[in-house]
Amino acid sequence: HVQLVESGGGSVQAGGSLRLSCAASGDTIGRYCMGWFRQIPDKEREAVAAIDSDGNTNYADSVKGRFTIVRDYANSRIYLQMNNLKPEDTAMYYCGAARAISGTCLEYKNWGPGTQVTVS
């Protein structure tokens, strides 16, 4: 199965930008739907952005127009470009992978350890 490792988190002022990176190994990312999720303490993990095996993307309403998910097949990575960051974007961000079968994304079962984003 695929292994995932996130990077690129950090502290930034409101209005700033960050680019998160998720490096995948152990399997080809073309077989997976890939997504970015975030979680704050005592809250459930929420989906932020996703890209399926056909390249279709979905975003949470709270980040539409500010975040962009990109899949880089050549380097087995996905990225989350985050612009115009707000304090409410502060969270631990996780990269996730779900097997894609005939265009359908199955359950997200593969996760990275996460990278912290703090917006002040």
Side-chain angles (χ1 to χ4, degrees), residues 78-100:
I78 63 166
Y79 300 98
L80 185 67
Q81 179 66 43
M82 306 187 294
N83 298 327
N84 190 21
L85 282 160
K86 303 176 180 180
E88 52 262 44
D89 295 318
T90 295
M92 183 70 78
Y93 282 71
Y94 298 91
C95 175
R99 279 298 312 278

Side-chain angles (χ1 to χ4, degrees), residues 17-91:
S17 298
L18 284 173
R19 188 178 77 156
L20 304 184
S21 177
C22 173
S25 61
D27 204 347
T28 174
I29 60 173
R31 300 177 64 188
Y32 294 85
C33 301
M34 304 293 295
W36 286 97
F37 297 73
R38 65 188 181 189
Q39 188 172 22
I40 59 175
D42 298 324
K43 298 290 185 181
E44 291 189 1
R45 189 173 297 187
E46 66 168 348
V48 174
I51 184 166
D52 68 16
S53 55
D54 294 325
N56 300 305
T57 57
N58 280 292
Y59 298 93
D61 287 343
S62 59
V63 306
K64 282 181 181 177
R66 300 188 298 123
F67 290 12
T68 304
I69 186 170
V70 175
R71 184 195 299 255
D72 179 355
Y73 285 99
N75 294 299
S76 292
R77 288 178 179 266
I78 63 166
Y79 300 98
L80 185 67
Q81 179 66 43
M82 306 187 294
N83 298 327
N84 190 21
L85 282 160
K86 303 176 180 180
E88 52 262 44
D89 295 318
T90 295

